[in-house]
Amino acid sequence: MPLALTIAAYFVVAAVLALFGARLRSGIVAVAVLPFVGQLVLVAVEVVGGVDPAGVESLEWLPSLGVSLAFRVGPFALLLTTVVAAIGLLIVVYSARYLRDPMRRVRFLSLMVLFTGGMAGLVASDDLFGLFLFWELT
């Protein structure tokens, strides 16, 4: 379940940035890096604790319709989510100084966090529905 929660954190933070980013002026980058750091910490904990190559996490998305999202928690998925989170974190940190206009920064950071969440979900997805959903988000 932790992998699914860290992927969901990207979308929650993207929504927070889009809705309240203008009010967070100085702390917007600190909020934007939260899901990236959370993803990297989760991978470190999973690697230290031992990775089950056949591990699958499921997140009920629309239980009334029987729709759920499944995520593979294997070594390859953890490696790819690490690459996605690390590169995304570098881009967010770099853009903090690069984008001077506050509204452009809010828009860029919310879209970057949303895109990275889509990429993390795409590389960890274990079913066709999740693959389609996250592919469309990217």
Side-chain angles (χ1 to χ4, degrees):
M1 189 61 108
L3 181 65
L5 291 177
T6 58
I7 292 172
Y10 284 106
F11 302 110
V12 171
V13 170
V16 167
L17 290 175
L19 295 173
F20 305 110
R23 296 180 195 168
L24 295 173
R25 295 204 184 260
S26 62
I28 190 166
V29 176
V31 173
V33 300
L34 289 175
F36 298 98
V37 172
Q39 186 77 43
L40 293 172
V41 167
L42 168 80
V43 170
V45 168
E46 288 285 332
V47 169
V48 169
V51 179
D52 179 17
V56 176
E57 292 180 4
S58 183
L59 178 67
E60 291 294 325
W61 191 37
L62 298 171
S64 61
L65 299 175
V67 177
S68 65
L69 296 173
F71 299 100
R72 173 76 52 183
V73 189
F76 191 62
L78 291 177
L79 172 69
L80 290 177
T81 56
T82 301
V83 169
V84 167
I87 292 173
L89 179 64
L90 290 174
I91 291 170
V92 166
V93 170
Y94 175 77
S95 71
R97 291 286 208 177
Y98 184 72
L99 295 171
R100 299 278 186 213
D101 182 25
M103 291 314 295
R104 289 184 69 197
R105 184 184 304 165
V106 168
R107 182 173 175 219
F108 174 77
L109 289 176
S110 61
L111 289 175
M112 183 64 198
V113 172
L114 181 68
F115 170 76
T116 308
M119 285 300 297
L122 180 67
V123 299
S125 184
D126 192 46
D127 59 357
L128 190 58
F129 176 72
L131 187 69
F132 174 75
L133 176 73
F134 292 117
W135 181 265
E136 288 298 318
L137 281 171
T138 59

